[in-house]
Amino acid sequence: MKSLISFLSAVSTAAAAVCPSPLYSVQGANTFVSRDYAQGLRNGQPFITYEHGVAWRALEMVYNATQNASYVNHIKSGVDNIVTAEGGLEDYNLTYYTLDDIRIGETLIYLNGETGEDKYKGAADLLRSQLQTNPRNKAGGFWHRSTYPNQMWLDGLYMVSPFYAHYTAVYDPSNTTAFDDIVKQFTLTHTNCVNSNTSQTGLLKHGYDESHTAVWADTATGASPECWDRALGWYVLAIVDVLDYLPSSHPGVSTLKSILDETIAGIKNAIDADSGLWWLVMSQPGKTGNYIESSGGAMFIYAMLKGIRMGYLDSATYLSTATGAYEKLVDKFVGVNGTDGGLDWEGTVSVGSLSGNGDFDYYISVALSTNDLKGFGPFIMASVEYEKALC
Ligand SMILES: *[C@@H]1O[C@H](CO)[C@@H](O)[C@H](O)[C@H]1NC(C)=O
Ligand SMILES: *[C@@H]1O[C@H](CO)[C@@H](O)[C@H](O)[C@H]1NC(C)=O
Ligand SMILES: *[C@@H]1O[C@H](CO)[C@@H](O)[C@H](O)[C@H]1NC(C)=O
Ligand SMILES: *[C@@H]1O[C@H](CO)[C@@H](O)[C@H](O)[C@H]1NC(C)=O
Ligand SMILES: *[C@@H]1O[C@H](CO)[C@@H](O)[C@H](O)[C@H]1NC(C)=O
Ligand SMILES: *[C@@H]1O[C@H](CO)[C@@H](O)[C@H](O)[C@H]1NC(C)=O
């Protein structure tokens, strides 16, 4: 099967597959380990951040592909800096109610399974308990953070939903209410982050405010003005990962697959003809100051390739698109570091927030960063999928 796919793709793209030795996923994982990128520390102190959660997921995927124990040991040593012996999280402020911190939760579930140690389950329970009291808007959507009342940002879907679904599947599998709630977060954002430009169907806006009062909220829909590539990337990443855990009999499976279909079609349609990749502000392609950004692209490619592998997306429609984009992404953004021989990852925008006015000038004003885990992690995820398909 794999060689048939490789053969067909080689014929249709006529490009040599990007399968260096060691593979990019392995070179990336070795770089994470040797540079200590995800130690759960900042200035030597325990530090919880979704960026490390993203890096740990990427390392887990490379561990599964290679069985190199260094990767799982690295995950564990990082997580052990933030999990207490009693099964809590260092300095965790649950009532700050930030969805971002929940991203690390999947790795806690994973380590509980790998090691059998209860402390990881305890820490996962703490994050799960946050969802019981996390403020919600009137429609039932989680506020992105206590400081952003009534607002749902697409980013939050990746921070929470795969953990919520993974937790439910492992520890509470008959809880249909929880699975319904998970799907509802997607349908709410899909309905309300609406993009009225009919040439951009599927490209959801960054977020919406159910109360329509944020400075950026559209008075009619509550949606923010622009479609930001990384937010949409988190959203499609969330869908393909949540589908691993949703029971196949749950009606949300077909709902999520149909949202994925529409969104990925929009993402394919938005590919820039010159670079073969995606704009930072997808709602204003080609506008002066806009540029081709790397983290969103890595996430789109991962979601497409995993979606194809799992049978959610049509291979004939998307495989050569996704593998071709991956090859361009490598060309443009991956370099070899002259000092340590590891990889360097370029072109990732450091943040994108709806704390200001969320307009075009804001997004293009944010600095880029090198070796940003929000892009480097998804690049490794995309590499693992690419290598499963072609190497
Ligand atoms: C396993 O991972 C470690 C740490 O990144 C690396 O130094 C080592 O070369 C890897 N082993 C193999 C066989 O790739
Ligand atoms: C890695 O493998 C383990 C054991 O089979 C599995 O439970 C886990 O879901 C896999 N992780 C990923 C990210 O696919
Ligand atoms: C936790 O966050 C809440 C909400 O921001 C804040 O009011 C409270 O002071 C914080 N608690 C601690 C211990 O920092
Ligand atoms: C099931 O999930 C719902 C929604 O998250 C939650 O309120 C409820 O407590 C859970 N029930 C059990 C038995 O865990
Ligand atoms: C609508 O979308 C197309 C395709 O992305 C774009 O070229 C055009 O500028 C958009 N129109 C408006 C009014 O934003
Ligand atoms: C290159 O490697 C060095 C040593 O590991 C590291 O400090 C640096 O951040 C890396 N990347 C760049 C772009 O310099």
Side-chain angles (χ1 to χ4, degrees), residues 196-244:
S196 58
N197 184 339
T198 51
S199 304
Q200 294 178 357
T201 301
L203 303 187
L204 302 179
K205 299 296 181 70
H206 188 170
Y208 89 103
D209 172 4
E210 193 260 352
S211 68
H212 298 199
T213 56
V215 288
W216 44 255
D218 182 279
T219 48
T221 65
S224 65
E226 303 295 347
C227 171
W228 179 48
D229 69 333
R230 182 151 76 233
L232 190 62
W234 292 131
Y235 190 77
V236 290
L237 231 172
I239 295 177
V240 294
D241 283 3
V242 162
L243 283 169
D244 286 346

Side-chain angles (χ1 to χ4, degrees), residues 93-96 146:
N93 186 347
L94 186 144
T95 61
Y96 186 48
S146 55

Side-chain angles (χ1 to χ4, degrees), residues 95-388:
T95 61
Y96 186 48
Y97 291 122
T98 175
L99 301 186
D100 285 347
D101 286 353
I102 295 180
R103 169 71 292 203
I104 63 165
E106 277 206 279
T107 304
L108 302 171
I109 300 169
Y110 170 67
L111 287 180
N112 177 237
E114 280 289 304
T115 67
E117 288 182 48
D118 291 339
K119 66 177 182 178
Y120 301 116
K121 168 72 163 51
D125 288 345
L126 175 63
L127 293 177
R128 176 64 182 84
S129 76
Q130 180 177 325
L131 298 178
Q132 293 299 110
T133 49
N134 201 91
R136 294 175 184 248
N137 64 29
K138 283 205 215 85
F142 292 121
W143 292 11
H144 191 67
R145 193 163 84 191
S146 55
T147 55
Y148 304 125
N150 299 301
Q151 300 176 19
M152 297 188 79
W153 301 8
L154 298 184
D155 326 42
L157 275 289
Y158 184 63
M159 301 305 149
V160 169
S161 316
F163 165 73
Y164 193 0
H166 195 166
Y167 184 99
T168 306
V170 174
Y171 304 121
D172 199 10
S174 58
N175 194 335
T176 309
T177 312
F179 288 123
D180 294 348
D181 190 24
I182 290 159
V183 174
K184 183 185 198 175
Q185 306 301 313
F186 286 98
T187 55
L188 281 174
T189 37
H190 178 248
T191 308
N192 292 293
C193 296
V194 58
N195 187 331
S196 58
N197 184 339
T198 51
S199 304
Q200 294 178 357
T201 301
L203 303 187
L204 302 179
K205 299 296 181 70
H206 188 170
Y208 89 103
D209 172 4
E210 193 260 352
S211 68
H212 298 199
T213 56
V215 288
W216 44 255
D218 182 279
T219 48
T221 65
S224 65
E226 303 295 347
C227 171
W228 179 48
D229 69 333
R230 182 151 76 233
L232 190 62
W234 292 131
Y235 190 77
V236 290
L237 231 172
I239 295 177
V240 294
D241 283 3
V242 162
L243 283 169
D244 286 346
Y245 309 117
L246 213 52
S248 56
S249 60
H250 193 281
V253 171
S254 65
T255 308
L256 291 188
K257 283 188 194 167
S258 98
I259 294 177
L260 183 70
D261 258 337
E262 180 196 289
T263 312
I264 294 287
I267 288 168
K268 176 176 174 179
N269 190 42
I271 293 178
D272 166 57
D274 289 340
S275 61
L277 295 165
W278 292 271
W279 296 94
L280 172 83
V281 183
M282 299 175 81
S283 38
Q284 309 232 30
K287 185 168 173 176
T288 304
N290 207 353
Y291 59 86
I292 302 298
E293 199 273 341
S294 66
S295 66
M299 294 174 190
F300 297 153
I301 292 164
Y302 168 76
M304 281 185 193
L305 291 173
K306 180 171 177 182
I308 294 164
R309 179 171 61 81
M310 300 301 291
Y312 312 142
L313 296 170
D314 177 44
S315 173
T317 310
Y318 294 112
L319 183 63
S320 65
T321 299
T323 57
Y326 176 83
E327 288 150 15
K328 293 182 172 99
L329 196 75
V330 168
D331 253 13
K332 193 169 167 67
F333 297 116
V334 175
V336 173
N337 185 307
T339 307
D340 67 1
L343 293 186
D344 281 331
W345 171 256
E346 303 291 346
T348 288
V349 70
S350 52
V351 289
S353 161
L354 290 173
S355 58
N357 65 4
D359 67 2
F360 178 81
D361 288 343
Y362 159 71
Y363 289 104
I364 63 165
S365 74
V366 177
L368 292 173
S369 60
T370 296
N371 294 324
D372 191 311
L373 297 178
K374 302 186 288 299
F376 207 166
F379 169 67
I380 292 181
M381 297 177 185
S383 298
V384 170
E385 288 295 340
Y386 177 93
E387 291 153 9
K388 278 182 184 167

